Amino acid sequence: AVRRNANRGFADLALFEVGQVFLSDEPQGQKTYATAVRAGAPGRNWQGGKSLTVFDAKADLAAALDVLGHDIDKLQLVAEAPAWAHPGRGGRVQLGPTNIIGWFGELHPAWAEELDVDGPLVAFELDLDAIPEPRRKTTRGKGALKLSDLMPLERDFAFLVDRKVAAAAMLRAA
């Protein structure tokens, strides 16, 4: 998909997919993953474009985790890149020593060559089945907002008054 888009002139792109991954033929080998890949420049700035780095992949993963209710700063980051990542330019996110949540990194040059993709590519994959439900904080907040089914009515009034009338007097009268 990255190559097809690049061939059509869309060099800067971000693709995201959620789907099934089959790690084995056993029922527990079926997982649901969210994956994303970005190609091109991460954004233009006054100094000109810059190439994508492992930190862009980590930021994308952090944004996805944030939407799911988890703060990446409260998870463990391990400097162990996945097989598809450039050595030393990737990492793993986990919750405890055995619960691996996801991986991120720059795509290995050999993989990019095999896929016939030019330029820097960064990606992440997130095991949605490994992510626990976020803890709900008990608060003393108000309940859900219940709005009326009736339409609100607003009126705008204008009054002509003498200049000598004080604004405070008008407010008291209202």
Side-chain angles (χ1 to χ4, degrees):
V2 171
R3 185 182 64 237
R4 278 195 316 268
N5 279 285
N7 290 341
R8 290 186 176 107
F10 300 107
D12 298 338
L13 79 139
L15 301 173
F16 185 81
E17 181 179 11
V18 175
Q20 300 298 315
V21 175
F22 300 95
L23 302 174
S24 70
D25 58 355
E26 299 294 321
Q28 58 272 22
Q30 180 178 343
K31 303 283 186 172
T32 304
Y33 275 31
T35 59
V37 63
R38 282 186 21 183
R44 308 280 183 224
N45 57 26
W46 63 275
Q47 296 173 336
K50 62 176 185 164
S51 62
L52 291 166
T53 67
V54 65
F55 299 109
D56 295 308
K58 180 183 169 191
D60 292 343
L61 178 63
L65 284 169
D66 188 46
V67 169
L68 295 171
H70 291 278
D71 185 5
I72 196 168
D73 294 330
K74 295 181 180 172
L75 301 171
Q76 291 175 309
L77 290 173
V78 179
E80 186 175 314
W84 50 262
H86 195 291
R89 296 185 187 173
R92 182 177 72 214
V93 178
Q94 58 191 34
L95 186 62
T98 59
N99 189 10
I100 297 173
I101 293 175
W103 301 263
F104 62 93
E106 295 179 31
L107 189 66
H108 194 286
W111 283 55
E113 184 179 330
E114 184 177 324
L115 295 171
D116 193 25
V117 179
D118 294 329
L121 263 80
V122 297
F124 75 82
E125 55 185 7
L126 191 59
D127 184 355
L128 297 177
D129 297 326
I131 300 174
E133 286 290 322
R135 292 184 184 160
R136 303 272 184 228
K137 294 182 180 178
T138 56
T139 61
R140 293 185 177 190
K142 296 180 181 178
L145 176 65
K146 294 182 182 178
L147 297 175
S148 172
D149 293 336
L150 304 173
M151 291 182 53
L153 180 64
E154 295 181 16
R155 293 192 181 175
D156 187 17
F157 293 102
F159 298 98
L160 295 175
V161 294
D162 190 7
R163 283 185 180 260
K164 296 178 186 170
V165 178
M170 289 179 50
L171 288 174
R172 271 195 314 271

